[in-house]
Amino acid sequence: MAKIYYDADADLKYLEGKKIAVIGYGNQGHAQAQNLRDSGMDVVAADIKGSRAWKQAEKDGVPITTVPEACKQGDVIQVLLPDEFQPMVYKEHILPYLEEGNALCFSHGFNIHYHQIVPPEYVDVFMVAPKAPGHMVRTMFVDGLGVPALVAVHQNPSGKAMETALAYAKGIGCTRAGVIETTFREETETDLFGEQVDLCGGVTEMIKAAFETLVEAGYQPEIAYFETLHELKLIVDLIHEGGLARMWQSVSNTAEYGGLTVGKRIINEQSRAAMWEALERIQSGEFAREWVLETQANKPVLKALEKQEFEHPIEEVGARLRAMMPWLKKE
């Protein structure tokens, strides 16, 4: 059973008298910085001067400055930048200001686990990773609730890294829901696996393959779109709310029987072998090496794949059909 921590297990005193520098006022940064501030913590955010994020921080009433200045001030430095930018920013703007007694915090373990960032041995290194997008982290906090999170310790020279991590998790509201102890390795490898195998990679390829099958069989693309992509949200929402059982109980008996009998033919032994191959590439560092080299080369493969993806017929059909759905239009 996983070790889970709650409010009673965390004490904000471990952050008292410490300045928390939140590097990156984006999806997670805006939520974590505001929640910490509202928990009574001394917070400063950092982003590009004059950027939209900078202006948003000013609007939110969160003190904001440049990354080097925030790192000069910070005792606990939370790095909330995209994975590919973290090593450069760390080397140029964070490392020069790290002192004994400081702590580095992350919400994803990629750069620590794959040694793209190697902190000095005299700083604590921990992770607090909310399992929800930033807007939900903020909304739940304001409502007096919280979202679950993961917590891990990589380095503990102070002897109090876990206590500080749990205080941080409490400051952003996550111990209200529950914080699960893990490791940087487990969080990183499972996160990458989920993204590649089902959440992003597997799902999109399955949708396109199903769409293409129906169109090639002579069915109208618009009908194929509804049946293979549009209705997926209904199914995912049911699973999200109550697990697989909730979904099976909610769909028709026809859908349940068809799904349970045919699903294993689609996700078969060949599919499972490909999943193991993907996991082994993640565990060995092969995927990390490939991605680091890709970012250093200005992402040529990613850009080419994006172009192919965005030009797929399902995108053209979907754009036309979504224009008929006013409830999808955002302010």
Tab-separated table of all heavy atoms in Angstrom, residues 191-242:
chain	number	residue	atom	x	y	z
A	191	ASP	N	5.023	8.473	-15.654
A	191	ASP	CA	4.442	9.625	-16.340
A	191	ASP	C	4.711	9.546	-17.841
A	191	ASP	O	3.801	9.714	-18.663
A	191	ASP	CB	5.024	10.915	-15.763
A	191	ASP	CG	4.380	12.157	-16.355
A	191	ASP	OD1	3.244	12.474	-15.969
A	191	ASP	OD2	5.015	12.822	-17.201
A	192	LEU	N	5.954	9.279	-18.206
A	192	LEU	CA	6.297	9.171	-19.623
A	192	LEU	C	5.570	8.000	-20.277
A	192	LEU	O	5.073	8.108	-21.406
A	192	LEU	CB	7.811	8.993	-19.782
A	192	LEU	CG	8.688	10.187	-19.379
A	192	LEU	CD1	10.162	9.810	-19.468
A	192	LEU	CD2	8.395	11.400	-20.253
A	193	PHE	N	5.490	6.883	-19.553
A	193	PHE	CA	4.808	5.709	-20.097
A	193	PHE	C	3.343	6.012	-20.383
A	193	PHE	O	2.822	5.702	-21.454
A	193	PHE	CB	4.924	4.544	-19.115
A	193	PHE	CG	4.236	3.289	-19.581
A	193	PHE	CD1	4.865	2.426	-20.468
A	193	PHE	CD2	2.964	2.964	-19.128
A	193	PHE	CE1	4.233	1.267	-20.906
A	193	PHE	CE2	2.319	1.813	-19.553
A	193	PHE	CZ	2.959	0.962	-20.441
A	194	GLY	N	2.661	6.630	-19.422
A	194	GLY	CA	1.252	6.957	-19.622
A	194	GLY	C	1.040	7.879	-20.806
A	194	GLY	O	0.122	7.678	-21.611
A	195	GLU	N	1.895	8.900	-20.922
A	195	GLU	CA	1.769	9.848	-22.033
A	195	GLU	C	1.929	9.153	-23.379
A	195	GLU	O	1.190	9.425	-24.326
A	195	GLU	CB	2.830	10.945	-21.895
A	195	GLU	CG	2.604	11.890	-20.728
A	195	GLU	CD	3.801	12.780	-20.462
A	195	GLU	OE1	4.883	12.542	-21.049
A	195	GLU	OE2	3.669	13.710	-19.654
A	196	GLN	N	2.913	8.266	-23.463
A	196	GLN	CA	3.244	7.662	-24.744
A	196	GLN	C	2.302	6.525	-25.133
A	196	GLN	O	1.914	6.392	-26.295
A	196	GLN	CB	4.683	7.130	-24.701
A	196	GLN	CG	5.732	8.217	-24.561
A	196	GLN	CD	7.125	7.667	-24.353
A	196	GLN	OE1	7.416	6.522	-24.703
A	196	GLN	NE2	8.004	8.481	-23.778
A	197	VAL	N	1.929	5.719	-24.161
A	197	VAL	CA	1.253	4.461	-24.470
A	197	VAL	C	-0.261	4.593	-24.556
A	197	VAL	O	-0.893	3.975	-25.410
A	197	VAL	CB	1.656	3.386	-23.436
A	197	VAL	CG1	0.785	2.144	-23.563
A	197	VAL	CG2	3.127	3.025	-23.634
A	198	ASP	N	-0.872	5.397	-23.666
A	198	ASP	CA	-2.328	5.515	-23.795
A	198	ASP	C	-2.812	6.957	-23.783
A	198	ASP	O	-3.530	7.376	-24.675
A	198	ASP	CB	-3.059	4.680	-22.736
A	198	ASP	CG	-2.809	5.142	-21.310
A	198	ASP	OD1	-1.728	5.656	-21.029
A	198	ASP	OD2	-3.718	4.966	-20.466
A	199	LEU	N	-2.436	7.788	-22.833
A	199	LEU	CA	-3.050	9.101	-22.682
A	199	LEU	C	-2.917	9.987	-23.911
A	199	LEU	O	-3.867	10.678	-24.285
A	199	LEU	CB	-2.452	9.822	-21.471
A	199	LEU	CG	-2.578	9.084	-20.130
A	199	LEU	CD1	-1.909	9.890	-19.026
A	199	LEU	CD2	-4.036	8.822	-19.802
A	200	CYS	N	-1.755	10.016	-24.506
A	200	CYS	CA	-1.535	10.878	-25.681
A	200	CYS	C	-1.268	10.049	-26.933
A	200	CYS	O	-1.975	10.164	-27.926
A	200	CYS	CB	-0.355	11.829	-25.431
A	200	CYS	SG	-0.569	12.907	-24.004
A	201	GLY	N	-0.256	9.203	-26.889
A	201	GLY	CA	0.126	8.440	-28.075
A	201	GLY	C	-0.875	7.383	-28.480
A	201	GLY	O	-1.378	7.370	-29.610
A	202	GLY	N	-1.212	6.473	-27.557
A	202	GLY	CA	-2.098	5.375	-27.896
A	202	GLY	C	-3.495	5.825	-28.288
A	202	GLY	O	-4.062	5.346	-29.272
A	203	VAL	N	-4.045	6.759	-27.522
A	203	VAL	CA	-5.416	7.208	-27.785
A	203	VAL	C	-5.536	7.882	-29.146
A	203	VAL	O	-6.460	7.612	-29.909
A	203	VAL	CB	-5.907	8.151	-26.662
A	203	VAL	CG1	-7.169	8.879	-27.085
A	203	VAL	CG2	-6.187	7.355	-25.393
A	204	THR	N	-4.611	8.780	-29.463
A	204	THR	CA	-4.721	9.493	-30.739
A	204	THR	C	-4.547	8.560	-31.926
A	204	THR	O	-5.247	8.692	-32.938
A	204	THR	CB	-3.700	10.639	-30.824
A	204	THR	OG1	-2.373	10.116	-30.583
A	204	THR	CG2	-3.994	11.727	-29.803
A	205	GLU	N	-3.631	7.611	-31.816
A	205	GLU	CA	-3.446	6.664	-32.923
A	205	GLU	C	-4.665	5.763	-33.078
A	205	GLU	O	-5.075	5.428	-34.198
A	205	GLU	CB	-2.185	5.830	-32.696
A	205	GLU	CG	-0.896	6.591	-32.952
A	205	GLU	CD	-0.840	7.193	-34.347
A	205	GLU	OE1	-1.098	6.466	-35.335
A	205	GLU	OE2	-0.555	8.403	-34.450
A	206	MET	N	-5.271	5.357	-31.965
A	206	MET	CA	-6.474	4.524	-32.037
A	206	MET	C	-7.623	5.297	-32.675
A	206	MET	O	-8.361	4.754	-33.516
A	206	MET	CB	-6.871	4.058	-30.639
A	206	MET	CG	-8.057	3.106	-30.631
A	206	MET	SD	-8.448	2.499	-28.974
A	206	MET	CE	-8.969	4.040	-28.186
A	207	ILE	N	-7.780	6.570	-32.298
A	207	ILE	CA	-8.845	7.394	-32.885
A	207	ILE	C	-8.661	7.521	-34.394
A	207	ILE	O	-9.599	7.330	-35.165
A	207	ILE	CB	-8.853	8.790	-32.231
A	207	ILE	CG1	-9.342	8.708	-30.789
A	207	ILE	CG2	-9.735	9.752	-33.031
A	207	ILE	CD1	-9.145	9.989	-30.003
A	208	LYS	N	-7.444	7.847	-34.811
A	208	LYS	CA	-7.196	8.019	-36.249
A	208	LYS	C	-7.396	6.719	-37.009
A	208	LYS	O	-7.970	6.710	-38.103
A	208	LYS	CB	-5.772	8.549	-36.466
A	208	LYS	CG	-5.588	10.002	-36.063
A	208	LYS	CD	-4.207	10.523	-36.428
A	208	LYS	CE	-3.116	9.830	-35.649
A	208	LYS	NZ	-1.762	10.358	-35.944
A	209	ALA	N	-6.924	5.617	-36.421
A	209	ALA	CA	-7.069	4.327	-37.106
A	209	ALA	C	-8.537	3.945	-37.241
A	209	ALA	O	-8.974	3.440	-38.294
A	209	ALA	CB	-6.306	3.246	-36.337
A	210	ALA	N	-9.323	4.185	-36.197
A	210	ALA	CA	-10.749	3.867	-36.267
A	210	ALA	C	-11.449	4.750	-37.290
A	210	ALA	O	-12.276	4.272	-38.089
A	210	ALA	CB	-11.384	4.049	-34.882
A	211	PHE	N	-11.124	6.044	-37.302
A	211	PHE	CA	-11.690	6.985	-38.273
A	211	PHE	C	-11.349	6.557	-39.695
A	211	PHE	O	-12.221	6.489	-40.577
A	211	PHE	CB	-11.150	8.386	-37.984
A	211	PHE	CG	-11.549	9.430	-38.990
A	211	PHE	CD1	-12.760	10.100	-38.867
A	211	PHE	CD2	-10.696	9.770	-40.037
A	211	PHE	CE1	-13.124	11.084	-39.793
A	211	PHE	CE2	-11.052	10.741	-40.958
A	211	PHE	CZ	-12.268	11.402	-40.842
A	212	GLU	N	-10.083	6.250	-39.936
A	212	GLU	CA	-9.633	5.866	-41.269
A	212	GLU	C	-10.316	4.581	-41.729
A	212	GLU	O	-10.678	4.440	-42.905
A	212	GLU	CB	-8.110	5.685	-41.266
A	212	GLU	CG	-7.340	6.994	-41.105
A	212	GLU	CD	-5.884	6.769	-40.729
A	212	GLU	OE1	-5.470	5.586	-40.642
A	212	GLU	OE2	-5.176	7.770	-40.496
A	213	THR	N	-10.513	3.638	-40.813
A	213	THR	CA	-11.163	2.369	-41.163
A	213	THR	C	-12.582	2.611	-41.667
A	213	THR	O	-12.996	2.068	-42.708
A	213	THR	CB	-11.183	1.433	-39.942
A	213	THR	OG1	-9.836	1.159	-39.535
A	213	THR	CG2	-11.901	0.124	-40.280
A	214	LEU	N	-13.338	3.439	-40.947
A	214	LEU	CA	-14.713	3.709	-41.360
A	214	LEU	C	-14.774	4.463	-42.684
A	214	LEU	O	-15.600	4.148	-43.556
A	214	LEU	CB	-15.441	4.502	-40.273
A	214	LEU	CG	-15.799	3.735	-38.998
A	214	LEU	CD1	-16.461	4.656	-37.983
A	214	LEU	CD2	-16.712	2.551	-39.313
A	215	VAL	N	-13.908	5.459	-42.856
A	215	VAL	CA	-13.915	6.241	-44.097
A	215	VAL	C	-13.530	5.368	-45.283
A	215	VAL	O	-14.151	5.428	-46.351
A	215	VAL	CB	-12.978	7.457	-43.973
A	215	VAL	CG1	-12.832	8.167	-45.319
A	215	VAL	CG2	-13.518	8.437	-42.928
A	216	GLU	N	-12.482	4.542	-45.086
A	216	GLU	CA	-12.058	3.650	-46.172
A	216	GLU	C	-13.133	2.621	-46.505
A	216	GLU	O	-13.206	2.123	-47.642
A	216	GLU	CB	-10.757	2.949	-45.775
A	216	GLU	CG	-9.552	3.893	-45.757
A	216	GLU	CD	-8.307	3.240	-45.161
A	216	GLU	OE1	-8.323	1.999	-44.983
A	216	GLU	OE2	-7.341	3.972	-44.862
A	217	ALA	N	-13.992	2.312	-45.523
A	217	ALA	CA	-15.088	1.366	-45.766
A	217	ALA	C	-16.282	2.020	-46.435
A	217	ALA	O	-17.280	1.353	-46.733
A	217	ALA	CB	-15.521	0.733	-44.444
A	218	GLY	N	-16.178	3.352	-46.672
A	218	GLY	CA	-17.229	4.041	-47.412
A	218	GLY	C	-18.198	4.852	-46.584
A	218	GLY	O	-19.150	5.427	-47.132
A	219	TYR	N	-17.971	4.931	-45.276
A	219	TYR	CA	-18.868	5.726	-44.444
A	219	TYR	C	-18.479	7.203	-44.510
A	219	TYR	O	-17.329	7.557	-44.787
A	219	TYR	CB	-18.821	5.238	-42.995
A	219	TYR	CG	-19.284	3.800	-42.839
A	219	TYR	CD1	-18.360	2.762	-42.739
A	219	TYR	CD2	-20.634	3.496	-42.814
A	219	TYR	CE1	-18.773	1.440	-42.620
A	219	TYR	CE2	-21.060	2.179	-42.684
A	219	TYR	CZ	-20.123	1.161	-42.596
A	219	TYR	OH	-20.554	-0.140	-42.482
A	220	GLN	N	-19.452	8.081	-44.266
A	220	GLN	CA	-19.196	9.519	-44.330
A	220	GLN	C	-18.202	9.936	-43.239
A	220	GLN	O	-18.326	9.512	-42.085
A	220	GLN	CB	-20.501	10.294	-44.151
A	220	GLN	CG	-21.541	10.061	-45.220
A	220	GLN	CD	-22.791	10.858	-44.936
A	220	GLN	OE1	-22.804	12.085	-45.097
A	220	GLN	NE2	-23.850	10.174	-44.515
A	221	PRO	N	-17.238	10.797	-43.597
A	221	PRO	CA	-16.259	11.249	-42.602
A	221	PRO	C	-16.902	11.911	-41.386
A	221	PRO	O	-16.418	11.759	-40.264
A	221	PRO	CB	-15.405	12.250	-43.394
A	221	PRO	CG	-15.556	11.836	-44.813
A	221	PRO	CD	-16.952	11.310	-44.935
A	222	GLU	N	-17.999	12.641	-41.619
A	222	GLU	CA	-18.661	13.320	-40.500
A	222	GLU	C	-19.217	12.308	-39.496
A	222	GLU	O	-19.106	12.495	-38.279
A	222	GLU	CB	-19.797	14.212	-41.017
A	222	GLU	CG	-19.336	15.399	-41.844
A	222	GLU	CD	-18.998	15.043	-43.285
A	222	GLU	OE1	-19.219	13.866	-43.680
A	222	GLU	OE2	-18.529	15.923	-44.025
A	223	ILE	N	-19.819	11.236	-40.009
A	223	ILE	CA	-20.359	10.205	-39.120
A	223	ILE	C	-19.213	9.492	-38.407
A	223	ILE	O	-19.285	9.205	-37.203
A	223	ILE	CB	-21.215	9.190	-39.904
A	223	ILE	CG1	-22.303	9.918	-40.713
A	223	ILE	CG2	-21.814	8.151	-38.973
A	223	ILE	CD1	-23.228	10.763	-39.851
A	224	ALA	N	-18.144	9.223	-39.149
A	224	ALA	CA	-16.977	8.560	-38.554
A	224	ALA	C	-16.385	9.412	-37.431
A	224	ALA	O	-15.972	8.889	-36.390
A	224	ALA	CB	-15.926	8.301	-39.632
A	225	TYR	N	-16.344	10.719	-37.631
A	225	TYR	CA	-15.807	11.634	-36.614
A	225	TYR	C	-16.612	11.516	-35.325
A	225	TYR	O	-16.048	11.398	-34.230
A	225	TYR	CB	-15.827	13.068	-37.123
A	225	TYR	CG	-15.365	14.088	-36.100
A	225	TYR	CD1	-14.024	14.410	-35.975
A	225	TYR	CD2	-16.279	14.719	-35.251
A	225	TYR	CE1	-13.589	15.332	-35.031
A	225	TYR	CE2	-15.860	15.639	-34.302
A	225	TYR	CZ	-14.510	15.944	-34.197
A	225	TYR	OH	-14.099	16.853	-33.256
A	226	PHE	N	-17.930	11.585	-35.443
A	226	PHE	CA	-18.765	11.512	-34.245
A	226	PHE	C	-18.545	10.201	-33.488
A	226	PHE	O	-18.445	10.195	-32.256
A	226	PHE	CB	-20.248	11.654	-34.619
A	226	PHE	CG	-20.690	13.073	-34.810
A	226	PHE	CD1	-21.196	13.497	-36.031
A	226	PHE	CD2	-20.595	13.991	-33.778
A	226	PHE	CE1	-21.610	14.811	-36.224
A	226	PHE	CE2	-20.999	15.309	-33.948
A	226	PHE	CZ	-21.508	15.724	-35.173
A	227	GLU	N	-18.463	9.100	-34.226
A	227	GLU	CA	-18.406	7.793	-33.567
A	227	GLU	C	-17.028	7.435	-33.024
A	227	GLU	O	-16.925	6.634	-32.092
A	227	GLU	CB	-18.870	6.701	-34.540
A	227	GLU	CG	-20.307	6.872	-35.007
A	227	GLU	CD	-21.307	6.904	-33.850
A	227	GLU	OE1	-21.025	6.305	-32.798
A	227	GLU	OE2	-22.379	7.531	-34.003
A	228	THR	N	-15.963	8.012	-33.585
A	228	THR	CA	-14.621	7.610	-33.154
A	228	THR	C	-13.902	8.665	-32.313
A	228	THR	O	-12.969	8.320	-31.577
A	228	THR	CB	-13.732	7.279	-34.368
A	228	THR	OG1	-13.575	8.455	-35.190
A	228	THR	CG2	-14.344	6.160	-35.195
A	229	LEU	N	-14.305	9.929	-32.404
A	229	LEU	CA	-13.635	10.984	-31.650
A	229	LEU	C	-14.592	11.729	-30.718
A	229	LEU	O	-14.373	11.799	-29.511
A	229	LEU	CB	-12.940	11.965	-32.594
A	229	LEU	CG	-12.038	13.021	-31.950
A	229	LEU	CD1	-10.945	13.464	-32.910
A	229	LEU	CD2	-12.791	14.252	-31.450
A	230	HIS	N	-15.649	12.276	-31.270
A	230	HIS	CA	-16.520	13.160	-30.494
A	230	HIS	C	-17.079	12.481	-29.240
A	230	HIS	O	-17.077	13.065	-28.148
A	230	HIS	CB	-17.681	13.642	-31.382
A	230	HIS	CG	-18.651	14.528	-30.677
A	230	HIS	ND1	-18.384	15.848	-30.401
A	230	HIS	CD2	-19.887	14.275	-30.161
A	230	HIS	CE1	-19.419	16.384	-29.760
A	230	HIS	NE2	-20.342	15.446	-29.605
A	231	GLU	N	-17.553	11.256	-29.375
A	231	GLU	CA	-18.192	10.586	-28.249
A	231	GLU	C	-17.193	10.053	-27.226
A	231	GLU	O	-17.593	9.574	-26.155
A	231	GLU	CB	-19.089	9.458	-28.756
A	231	GLU	CG	-20.295	9.981	-29.534
A	231	GLU	CD	-21.311	8.899	-29.857
A	231	GLU	OE1	-21.231	7.799	-29.257
A	231	GLU	OE2	-22.193	9.154	-30.704
A	232	LEU	N	-15.904	10.149	-27.533
A	232	LEU	CA	-14.899	9.673	-26.588
A	232	LEU	C	-14.976	10.422	-25.253
A	232	LEU	O	-14.735	9.849	-24.196
A	232	LEU	CB	-13.501	9.825	-27.197
A	232	LEU	CG	-12.336	9.289	-26.358
A	232	LEU	CD1	-12.455	7.782	-26.178
A	232	LEU	CD2	-11.011	9.635	-27.024
A	233	LYS	N	-15.334	11.711	-25.315
A	233	LYS	CA	-15.398	12.494	-24.075
A	233	LYS	C	-16.404	11.914	-23.091
A	233	LYS	O	-16.154	11.868	-21.882
A	233	LYS	CB	-15.738	13.959	-24.365
A	233	LYS	CG	-15.715	14.835	-23.108
A	233	LYS	CD	-16.081	16.269	-23.403
A	233	LYS	CE	-15.897	17.153	-22.178
A	233	LYS	NZ	-16.666	16.672	-20.996
A	234	LEU	N	-17.548	11.472	-23.587
A	234	LEU	CA	-18.546	10.872	-22.720
A	234	LEU	C	-17.965	9.676	-21.975
A	234	LEU	O	-18.141	9.536	-20.760
A	234	LEU	CB	-19.758	10.433	-23.552
A	234	LEU	CG	-20.804	9.572	-22.827
A	234	LEU	CD1	-21.445	10.361	-21.701
A	234	LEU	CD2	-21.853	9.073	-23.808
A	235	ILE	N	-17.248	8.837	-22.691
A	235	ILE	CA	-16.671	7.632	-22.099
A	235	ILE	C	-15.587	7.992	-21.090
A	235	ILE	O	-15.541	7.460	-19.980
A	235	ILE	CB	-16.102	6.718	-23.207
A	235	ILE	CG1	-17.213	6.328	-24.191
A	235	ILE	CG2	-15.436	5.491	-22.610
A	235	ILE	CD1	-18.383	5.615	-23.549
A	236	VAL	N	-14.710	8.919	-21.473
A	236	VAL	CA	-13.615	9.323	-20.579
A	236	VAL	C	-14.155	9.970	-19.316
A	236	VAL	O	-13.655	9.726	-18.210
A	236	VAL	CB	-12.646	10.267	-21.311
A	236	VAL	CG1	-11.651	10.890	-20.338
A	236	VAL	CG2	-11.901	9.510	-22.403
A	237	ASP	N	-15.189	10.792	-19.449
A	237	ASP	CA	-15.780	11.431	-18.269
A	237	ASP	C	-16.329	10.390	-17.294
A	237	ASP	O	-16.168	10.518	-16.073
A	237	ASP	CB	-16.900	12.386	-18.682
A	237	ASP	CG	-16.387	13.690	-19.257
A	237	ASP	OD1	-15.166	13.952	-19.146
A	237	ASP	OD2	-17.188	14.457	-19.827
A	238	LEU	N	-16.980	9.369	-17.819
A	238	LEU	CA	-17.519	8.312	-16.960
A	238	LEU	C	-16.395	7.563	-16.248
A	238	LEU	O	-16.484	7.274	-15.044
A	238	LEU	CB	-18.355	7.340	-17.792
A	238	LEU	CG	-19.683	7.885	-18.334
A	238	LEU	CD1	-20.275	6.917	-19.348
A	238	LEU	CD2	-20.669	8.131	-17.190
A	239	ILE	N	-15.331	7.253	-16.975
A	239	ILE	CA	-14.182	6.566	-16.376
A	239	ILE	C	-13.533	7.448	-15.319
A	239	ILE	O	-13.177	6.999	-14.229
A	239	ILE	CB	-13.169	6.172	-17.464
A	239	ILE	CG1	-13.777	5.119	-18.399
A	239	ILE	CG2	-11.879	5.651	-16.841
A	239	ILE	CD1	-12.925	4.806	-19.614
A	240	HIS	N	-13.398	8.731	-15.639
A	240	HIS	CA	-12.762	9.685	-14.728
A	240	HIS	C	-13.553	9.803	-13.422
A	240	HIS	O	-12.970	9.895	-12.334
A	240	HIS	CB	-12.673	11.050	-15.418
A	240	HIS	CG	-11.866	12.073	-14.674
A	240	HIS	ND1	-10.502	12.024	-14.599
A	240	HIS	CD2	-12.253	13.156	-13.971
A	240	HIS	CE1	-10.063	13.041	-13.878
A	240	HIS	NE2	-11.111	13.746	-13.482
A	241	GLU	N	-14.855	9.773	-13.531
A	241	GLU	CA	-15.716	9.961	-12.363
A	241	GLU	C	-15.810	8.710	-11.489
A	241	GLU	O	-15.892	8.817	-10.264
A	241	GLU	CB	-17.133	10.346	-12.815
A	241	GLU	CG	-17.220	11.721	-13.452
A	241	GLU	CD	-18.528	11.932	-14.203
A	241	GLU	OE1	-19.414	11.042	-14.115
A	241	GLU	OE2	-18.665	12.969	-14.873
A	242	GLY	N	-15.791	7.536	-12.108
A	242	GLY	CA	-16.042	6.335	-11.308
A	242	GLY	C	-15.308	5.088	-11.737
A	242	GLY	O	-15.724	3.972	-11.359
